[in-house]
Each structure stands twice: as C-alpha cells, then as structure tokens.
Amino acid sequence: SNNSNNNNASGETTYVVRMLSFVEGKLLQDFPQTLPRLRSLGDKLGLFTKAMKGFEGGRREHLWDIRHFLLIKNFMPALKDDAFKSSLIEQCFEMFEQNVIPLKTSLPRCVVHNDANDNNVIVFDDCAKNGVDCECEEKQDHVCGLVKGFIDLGDLVYTWRIADAAITIAYACLQQDDLVSVSRTIVEACVQHIPLEAQELSVLHTLACARLATSVVLSAHNYAENPDPYLLIHATPGWACLEKLLAMDSETIKKFNCLDT
C-alpha cells in the first residue's frame, strides 16, 4: 500500500511502500474472545513490548497517540447534538487531566503497536485449515485460535509503555460483560514478559476510556464528512463499553487496574 508519493525532476512518480512478511492465519474477530484467547493476546502483547525495547522509531506527532488525548476536544462539535454522549467524553477528559497529566513525564515510554484491535490480531487456524472442529484452549497440543501476531503497524508510535495494554484492553472489552476479568487476564499475561510499574497500572482504566473516547469521537467526526459504514465499526459497542467503564466505582477500577492485591 502506498504511504506517500511525490514527483521527481523527470516527472516520474515515486511511491513509499511498506513490505511485510505474510502471516498465515485468521483474524481474532473470527473467534469468540474467551479468557484463554485473551490470555494469549496478553502474552503476545508482552512479547511485542519486550521486542520494542531499545527501538528508536515511531517518534512523531500522531493524533492517535494517547498522550495527545486532549486534542480530541477539537472534534467535539461532532457531538453537539447529543448532550449525553458529550458528557461521557467530558468525563474522560476530566479523568485524564486528573489521573494522567501529573504522571506524564514519569511514565515509562517505548514504541507501541497502538492499535491491537481484533481486526489487527492474527490467530493460528491450523485446525480449521485441516477441517477439524476444536476448542484449542481445551487441548494443550493445539494452538488454533490462539494469538500468533499483529498486523498493521501504520499507527506505531513512541509513547507511554502502558498505552498498548490500555488500548488492547479497551478493544477487547467491546464484546464482553466482565470488563475486570478482561483487563486482569490480559495484564497478568503481559507482565510475564514486561514488568509494569504501579504508576502505569494506576492509569490503565483512564487510558482505556481515553482510547474508546478517541475512537467514538473521531468516528462521529469522520462519518459526518464521509458516511462510510466502516468508520462506525467500533462506534456502537464503543459507546456502550465506555458507559460501562465510566460507571465503575473506585474499588472496581482498582481491580480493573490490577492494583487490589
């Protein structure tokens, strides 16, 4: 896919492209997001974060960099006719200013994937390929449906290390009822490879809300300019999930952040 292009002196057009190795498998969206599968997701996320240690790419200004969440205020006119939704996003801004801004210079940073939603996660499909119907989390010698890796590095950015866990959890919560179990399952697997500090975990819930808020606000803004249904793929479940997250009391948030033990 071309990322940018320009014309050289002879009038020929040059293109910048990314070439990636093909990863065989299926998308996570094609599988029920069971806890063993989410544990596998957390495991691979931890390995990804560990692999990025020392990598110096991704240093750029990017609207989807969670450090710049407050810039989403510029897109709030997209919600001007919906007072309730606007109030949810305002809550997210307040939480971010209260919980995250005081820590903005001390939170560890690294290069993160920045968009590990179920359309960008590849899982093994060996059993499906062989026509075998199985639930691999119940069969230790099978890996079908467990996470193999990630695709789409277009949003890769150098930011707070905890961002990837928060973003991954935010998207994993979209189709779930027990949001605390989702968060704890992913974090507990992730920290087997990369230790997350208490101050990082303390902002996990706020950053998960910030990512969902970014997604639904920008979806509303972009859809108003270009009514493409793809732009709303996470919007409806995103609003519902955001409402659930914001309804949590302090004790539940502490459990969500894995800080209750």
Side-chain angles (χ1 to χ4, degrees), residues 21 25 31 36 38-39 41 64 74 86 117 124-125 127 151 158 164 179-180 206-207 218 235 241 244:
S21 299
F31 291 79
L38 293 176
R39 190 174 301 116
L41 176 60
W64 287 85
N74 297 327
S86 294
N117 67 70
F124 289 93
D125 69 337
C127 298
I151 59 173
Y158 182 83
D164 249 357
L179 308 189
V180 170
T206 300
L207 293 184
L218 291 183
C241 184
K244 289 181 186 177

Side-chain angles (χ1 to χ4, degrees), residues 1-151:
S1 61
N2 62 299
N3 201 32
S4 63
N5 64 77
N6 54 41
N7 295 322
N8 59 26
S10 63
E12 297 175 330
T13 301
T14 59
Y15 294 89
V16 176
V17 300
R18 289 193 301 267
M19 295 189 66
L20 306 173
S21 299
F22 179 74
V23 180
E24 186 173 347
K26 288 188 175 181
L27 296 177
L28 180 59
Q29 68 171 1
D30 297 328
F31 291 79
Q33 294 195 24
T34 60
L35 291 183
R37 206 156 278 138
L38 293 176
R39 190 174 301 116
S40 173
L41 176 60
D43 177 69
K44 290 299 186 294
L45 185 69
L47 287 171
F48 183 91
T49 303
K50 184 177 182 180
M52 290 296 102
K53 185 177 181 180
F55 179 59
E56 295 298 319
R59 295 175 185 265
R60 55 176 173 155
E61 294 299 312
H62 193 351
L63 184 60
W64 287 85
D65 181 344
I66 211 161
R67 289 182 302 149
H68 304 318
F69 172 56
L70 296 181
L71 292 178
I72 299 303
K73 290 183 178 183
N74 297 327
F75 300 90
M76 286 299 285
L79 302 178
K80 66 182 185 299
D81 296 326
D82 195 319
F84 177 69
K85 287 182 177 179
S86 294
S87 70
L88 294 181
I89 305 304
E90 291 296 341
Q91 281 183 254
C92 295
F93 291 142
E94 291 173 10
M95 289 166 49
F96 190 88
E97 291 172 331
Q98 178 180 340
N99 301 331
V100 181
I101 294 300
L103 301 175
K104 67 178 183 179
T105 59
S106 60
L107 289 170
R109 301 185 188 191
C110 71
V111 173
V112 303
H113 180 280
N114 203 38
D115 196 21
N117 67 70
D118 58 2
N119 287 290
N120 290 335
V121 179
I122 299 295
V123 299
F124 289 93
D125 69 337
D126 302 70
C127 298
K129 181 176 63 178
N130 294 324
V132 179
D133 182 19
C134 84
E135 285 294 328
C136 295
E137 56 266 27
E138 299 175 4
K139 301 180 180 181
Q140 297 302 313
D141 58 336
H142 289 180
V143 293
C144 178
L146 299 185
V147 174
K148 189 174 188 179
F150 304 98
I151 59 173

